[in-house]
Amino acid sequence: MTLSLSIPARFRFRSLKLRIAVAYATLFALVLAAVVLLAGNGIARFGENSASRDLAANARVFDEIIALRAQQMRGSTDILSRDFGFREAVATHDDATIESALLSLRQRSRSAAAFVVGLDGSIVGSSDAALPAVEDLWNALDAGQERGVIRLGEKLALAAASPVETPDTIGWLVMAQPLDAAEMKRLSRLAAVDIDARVLPASRLPTALGNATLGNVVETNDGDRILHHVTALPALQQGLRPRLLLNHSLSEALAEYSGLQWLLAALAAAGLSLVVVLSWRVARTITSPLRALDAATRRLGEGKDAKVEITSEDEIGRLGASFNTMVDAIAERERQITHVALHDGLTNLPNRKLFVEQLDHALLRRRDDMQLMVVYVDLDDFKVVNDTLGHPAGDALLRNVAAHLQDVLGDAIVARLGGDEFAILLSDLPATENLAALADRLQDCFDRSIVIDGQQADASASLGIAVAPADGVDGITLMKNADLALYRAKRDGKSTYQFFERSLDEQARYRRQMELDLRLAIRDGGFELHFQPLYSLQEERLKAFEALIRWPHPERGMISPAEFIPLAEETGLIVQIGEWVVREACRQAASWPGDLAVAVNISPKQFLSPNLATVVLSALATSGLPATRLELEITESIFISNVERTLDALHGLRKLGVRIALDDFGTGYSSLSYLRSFPFDKLKIDQSFVRDLTAGGNANAVIRAITTLADALGMETLAEGVEDEAQAEILRQEGCRQIQGYLLSRPINARAVHEFIDEMQNMAEVERMRA
Ligand code: C2E
Ligand code: MG
Ligand code: MG
């Protein structure tokens, strides 16, 4: 309602029911009040009118009573005025006789005055008070007026007059009786109602009534409303305007109606109560479906069942029906959203979230004598399928695998965790179940082969398996352990499965800690470079130093690069570490005399990082080391992934002017084939060949073959791990040009390098002197 906007908040209704009820009740109450007011007014007016009418009627009664009284008096005066003796006495002015007759008349009729007015202007008679002047009476008497009011002293009196005739009128006999309060009171008693009657001259009427007013007038006197009625009485005396004033208390008159008014009020009160009750009920009837909807909406918000019962076919009923339709639609949409949220879009398999839920559920239900198996699956070389056949083919393969799994593993739960990773949950496996055979069967499920656009895509998978309760009893542990086992399976080669073992967990923990420590060492500059000399047998002189990284770990002591370099490779941290090695090696080498070079190991991941050339260039520029004094050692493994890209990178580096050596030569499978594809500057023959060198042994032949080939290809050769003179001698004989190994020196720190160089120079000096 717009109304409520302008109402101060504390008067606003918080409930529609109350608002309707109050609106109804107020409306009815107003109507009722109007009716009661009108009726009450009507009753009062009716009371007043009837009181007025009564008073008017009473006034007429009074008039008549007064007239009757006057007539009686006239009767008495008539009798005396016709009396012969009396007429005689009047005619002869026999005042004594007259007075005696008059006195007797007064006594008989108990009148206040009786007198005779003579034609000659005389007045004879007796009275309790002073008689009026003859000239004041004269006109009325002469006009034949028989009765009227005269003034007797201070009081007014009713007078009746009869002519005294002989036979001509010689005077008038007038008799008067007082109209004082006592008399009037007596008369009032004759009236039906309690009336205060008074006769008084018009001039003495209460001022509120006005001099000339006749009829009914209401006057208020101290809260009492008084109804007055004034009628004119005939006057026998000139100048006297007598009035009959009737006073009647209106409040008293209306008192008999007050009962009626009370009844009306009581009826109104009863009506009002009824209206309030009815309004409340009406309001409740109207708002109850709305309240039901309100409650249902709240339930809907809480995600509970929110349908409402429809009880009518009106607007509210239709609103309820629409609401129910909406509830259904929301439920359906919620179901769809939940499905989307819990399923993988490509395969429609449960996703990781749902898998976790289902696993938790299955673990709760697991019986103590039953086992539960969580299998993590990673497709082998799925990336190759994607890269060579395109993503649509990859998707098709995934869908095919998923559909097949669902077909074959009826009651197992199969989920896609993302990418080419799946998870399988097998519950209710008896303790006697042959898990290895089961794993084999699962593995077979992934051996799929599909043809896409005429090209065949093969799938195989590696599996990591964790079994409850042996490998964990909660979902998180089981999934983590299955993942660890998968990691191991992947490392062990494709298309294998691996059951979780405790040691895997410890290894993983160790790896995590190491990775953290590596990051700290990178941040805090916690690495050192040691250097091992490279010696030319041919030239009998020191040629270079190989930079070998050292990690003095604050707790574990010196950690071998053989241990942390593979981890740095896996985590990608090698790129940052390798950059530091390149810069530090160049910086150190720049301080070495002559053309002494530095050899730096470049790991495969570092080699393929896009900015290796930039790093090398910048290290050379910063240190001032000529490019020719830098040698990069790479291993055959860089050729495994992408030969073309590798060759591009090698040529790029070569363009910078640096030398490139193939490290650990002979350990790879097809070492020789790489030699054809890129002209290395140097081959570093792996120490395993050197270790096997015994005079005349097979290894010697291998070394010779390598040196011959290298010579033919214009590459230098260096033998690693030369520990004694005998080995050195053989290598010299077999044509190997350089050696590296403990025979010359173990890897030494930067300071020791300078001492070593000096020492070598001194030795050379001595040799020369000897020569
Ligand atoms: P590598 O490049 O083949 O280095 C030679 C390894 O043989 C070094 O081990 C060295 O100490 C050891 N060695 C040298 N002479 C002898 C000997 O006479 N007898 C025996 N038994 N061993 C000898 P180190 O320093 O432990 O390095 C191991 C491997 O770690 C290196 O093999 C290299 O592949 C890698 N590495 C070392 N430093 C770096 C580096 O800065 N970056 C990269 N990417 N890899 C590095
Ligand atoms: Mg090396
Ligand atoms: Mg090596």
Side-chain angles (χ1 to χ4, degrees), residues 705-716:
I706 295 173
T707 53
T708 312
L709 177 72
D711 281 345
L713 293 170
M715 299 176 188
E716 279 187 344

Side-chain angles (χ1 to χ4, degrees), residues 63 66 70 132 135-151 156-161 174 179 199-202 231-244:
D63 272 351
I66 288 171
E135 49 277 21
D136 286 343
L137 298 171
W138 190 263
N139 280 348
L141 292 173
D142 192 38
Q145 196 176 321
E146 290 168 350
R147 60 174 186 265
V149 177
I150 58 167
R151 189 189 295 277
L156 294 184
L158 180 66
V174 179
L179 287 171
V199 174
L200 65 178
T231 40
L233 292 177
L236 211 61
Q237 184 175 3
Q238 200 172 6
L240 187 68
R241 289 186 297 140
R243 295 285 186 266
L244 169 67

Side-chain angles (χ1 to χ4, degrees), residues 498-555:
Q498 170 79 44
F499 280 92
F500 171 76
E501 291 160 12
R502 286 269 154 241
S503 62
L504 292 182
D505 195 24
E506 278 148 29
Q507 283 167 22
R509 226 188 293 269
Y510 175 73
R511 267 171 48 86
R512 265 198 303 280
Q513 187 56 47
M514 286 288 272
E515 187 186 331
L516 275 179
D517 292 349
L518 263 186
R519 287 182 191 279
L520 287 181
I522 292 171
R523 193 192 67 187
D524 304 338
F527 300 108
E528 289 174 14
L529 278 191
H530 283 200
F531 299 90
Q532 192 178 33
L534 275 56
Y535 187 81
S536 168
L537 292 173
Q538 220 179 14
E539 299 171 44
E540 297 278 10
R541 75 177 186 100
L542 191 59
K543 290 291 284 185
F545 286 89
E546 178 176 4
L548 294 162
I549 192 166
R550 295 291 176 263
W551 183 15
H553 190 280
E555 285 149 29

Side-chain angles (χ1 to χ4, degrees), residues 532 546-548 599-602 633-635 662-664 684 720 740:
Q532 192 178 33
E546 178 176 4
L548 294 162
V600 174
N601 293 286
I602 303 293
E633 295 188 6
I634 57 159
T635 55
L662 187 58
D663 203 355
D664 302 337
K684 292 188 79 175
E720 292 183 297
Q740 176 184 0

Side-chain angles (χ1 to χ4, degrees), residues 111-318:
S111 55
F115 54 90
V116 172
V117 177
L119 264 185
D120 53 357
S122 64
I123 182 161
V124 181
S126 72
S127 159
D128 296 342
L131 289 172
V134 175
E135 49 277 21
D136 286 343
L137 298 171
W138 190 263
N139 280 348
L141 292 173
D142 192 38
Q145 196 176 321
E146 290 168 350
R147 60 174 186 265
V149 177
I150 58 167
R151 189 189 295 277
L152 279 183
E154 282 306 298
K155 294 177 183 168
L156 294 184
L158 180 66
S162 301
V164 182
E165 291 163 335
T166 54
D168 293 332
T169 302
I170 51 167
W172 291 271
L173 168 61
V174 179
M175 186 171 86
Q177 280 186 336
L179 287 171
D180 58 3
E183 181 64 16
M184 291 315 288
K185 201 162 202 145
R186 220 174 311 124
L187 290 182
S188 303
R189 281 198 206 107
L190 298 174
V193 287
D194 184 18
I195 284 175
D196 166 43
R198 232 172 294 166
V199 174
L200 65 178
S203 59
R204 299 253 316 269
L205 279 174
T207 42
L209 302 182
N211 272 348
T213 320
L214 295 177
N216 284 335
V217 173
V218 178
E219 182 203 23
T220 309
N221 185 8
D222 283 342
D224 188 14
R225 296 168 70 233
I226 296 173
L227 193 59
H228 302 282
H229 189 89
V230 181
T231 40
L233 292 177
L236 211 61
Q237 184 175 3
Q238 200 172 6
L240 187 68
R241 289 186 297 140
R243 295 285 186 266
L244 169 67
L245 172 64
L246 298 184
N247 297 328
H248 182 40
S249 162
L250 199 56
S251 313
E252 257 170 55
L254 293 181
E256 60 187 289
Y257 297 102
S258 72
L260 203 57
Q261 266 166 329
W262 276 115
L263 183 68
L264 192 67
L267 278 177
L272 190 65
S273 326
L274 198 67
V275 158
V276 167
V277 171
L278 284 181
S279 304
W280 185 253
R281 293 203 58 170
V282 166
R284 221 176 44 188
T285 318
I286 292 177
T287 57
S288 82
L290 289 179
R291 265 178 294 129
L293 271 175
D294 182 33
T297 313
R298 223 165 303 138
R299 282 204 305 282
L300 186 68
E302 289 162 6
K304 295 181 189 153
D305 176 35
K307 288 233 187 147
V308 291
E309 193 189 338
I310 294 166
T311 49
S312 65
E313 285 182 356
D314 55 12
E315 288 87 341
I316 289 181
R318 284 200 296 279

Side-chain angles (χ1 to χ4, degrees), residues 77 80-81 86 90 95-111 113-117 123-127 131 164 172-175:
T77 51
L80 184 61
S81 67
F86 183 73
V90 174
D95 288 355
T97 309
I98 294 172
E99 272 173 14
S100 126
L102 288 178
L103 194 63
S104 111
L105 176 68
R106 270 189 69 191
Q107 277 163 353
R108 253 185 290 125
S109 60
R110 278 199 288 298
S111 55
F115 54 90
V116 172
V117 177
I123 182 161
V124 181
S126 72
S127 159
L131 289 172
V164 182
W172 291 271
L173 168 61
V174 179
M175 186 171 86

